[in-house]
Amino acid sequence: GNNITIKWDIISWTPDGYVATVTMFNYQQFRHIPAPGWQLGWSWAKKEVIWSMVGAQATEQGDCSKFKSAPPHCCKRDPTIVDLLPGTPFNQQIANCCKAGVIKTFNQDPGNAASSFQISVGLAGTTNKTVKMPKNFTLRAPGPGYTCGRALVGRPTKYYSSDGRRVTQALMSWNVTCTYSQFLAQKTPTCCVSLSSFYNDTIVNCPTCSCGCQNNITRPGSCVNDNSPYLQSAINGPGKLTGQPLVQCTSHMCPIRIHWHVKLNYKDYWRVKVTITNFNYRMNYTDWNMVAQHPNFDNITKLFSFNYKPLTPYGGRINDTAMFWGMKFYNDLLNQAGPLGNAQSELLMRKDSETFTFQKGWAFPRRVYFNGDNCVMPSPDDYPWLPSASPLTKQPWTLPLLVFWTALATLLAYYV
């Protein structure tokens, strides 16, 4: 499953409604929900209200004027729910709540790939027959991108006691599935890839205008130079609260650039250096991840300063896709644009004599994703090519030998 599933489990009936536990499971392998976190919305089927909540809160109370004594937590027909912050008092918490709306990916941190809250609903049905499920679920994480389906009745969720000897179950369970579309999330890409190699002086930059074009006439203030005296005031400008990216002025205008450098060539191995650079002045990327596709990923021998997990999207037959992410407290936070805004790693891969070559751009990745979004690649025609008739193509270790014989021949010619 590559989606976010919301489980709505009714755990008890009340005189005018029910108490439910609502849990969001992130089954996406490499797309997490970063700060400022998720916002979950729906429309009530009847005239329900939320009496109280544990582990989350509605952003607005709405009009509760018809309630004479203690008013409900929320009377809106279409409430929006947000998570509580980590310092919440324990008597207002339940398990898996209060992470400021941040949900990790299943691969990076399965223990934190879910978020829960408890809700007490009034003016609602009080039996399996009369209760009605909310409609029109929306999930923002934190921006647009997710589309949620209808709520479907599922098998009642089972709960195990702490000693594992007793099982209880929900009185009724509904499931809602939300899927992500990069196109819905933003019209332009958010990252690009640049390439270089030891065998060619050319550095292939990100394609021009990968994520948009510099245009101070139609889009003033869309980017800022790193030496601009107005840098700080631009960062604190009108887009700060909405989280709108403010990028350094570059030819590609992307918030993130991933550079793949083919660094060294040994007899049985070859080495690649990967550098992720943040050009966004308004964003620290916490728990970032990168996914890349390359045929030699079936033989990664050593990896420096990143975590790594192979992904097998084709049912395990082809192992050419890998997920990389930062090490906790070392580089799992990609700082905003500036001297510290990058993370680097080197990969050592064992050669397979059947397939390995430096010809025709084989040493470069086929696809790259950052935080689940597809990155713009240079055109294959622009890749760094091998110098023609290079001895590197088939027998890389003959190069030092060649240099040695040439030097020897020169010396002999000199002395003879």
Side-chain angles (χ1 to χ4, degrees), residues 276-278 284 330-331 333-344:
I276 304 171
T277 308
N278 184 2
N284 286 328
Y330 175 60
N331 59 1
L333 171 75
L334 183 59
N335 277 308
Q336 68 255 50
L340 300 174
N342 65 77
Q344 301 179 357

Side-chain angles (χ1 to χ4, degrees), residues 40-50 58-62 74-81 134-138:
L40 181 65
W42 62 77
S43 304
W44 288 117
K46 300 198 276 189
K47 291 190 165 63
E48 291 92 338
V49 294
I50 301 171
T59 54
E60 290 181 61
Q61 185 181 24
C74 174
C75 300
K76 278 179 74 79
R77 292 297 313 275
D78 50 352
T80 298
I81 310 301
K135 307 187 297 266
N136 306 334
F137 275 85
T138 58

Side-chain angles (χ1 to χ4, degrees), residues 142-219:
Y146 286 92
T147 309
C148 300
R150 288 188 309 118
L152 303 170
V153 176
R155 282 196 187 143
T157 303
K158 296 193 165 164
Y159 301 99
Y160 291 85
S161 61
S162 54
D163 60 6
R165 294 169 65 189
R166 175 172 159 76
V167 181
T168 53
Q169 66 179 50
L171 306 174
M172 197 168 184
S173 291
W174 285 291
N175 296 329
V176 179
T177 302
C178 303
T179 49
Y180 180 85
S181 150
Q182 185 175 345
F183 182 72
L184 276 179
Q186 63 266 327
K187 295 285 185 283
T188 54
T190 52
C191 58
C192 64
V193 178
S194 56
L195 310 168
S196 62
S197 66
F198 69 88
Y199 53 76
N200 191 321
D201 290 342
T202 313
I203 293 177
V204 180
N205 283 319
C206 287
T208 304
C209 295
S210 292
C211 302
C213 294
Q214 277 190 54
N215 190 334
N216 276 343
I217 299 158
T218 58
R219 292 173 62 218

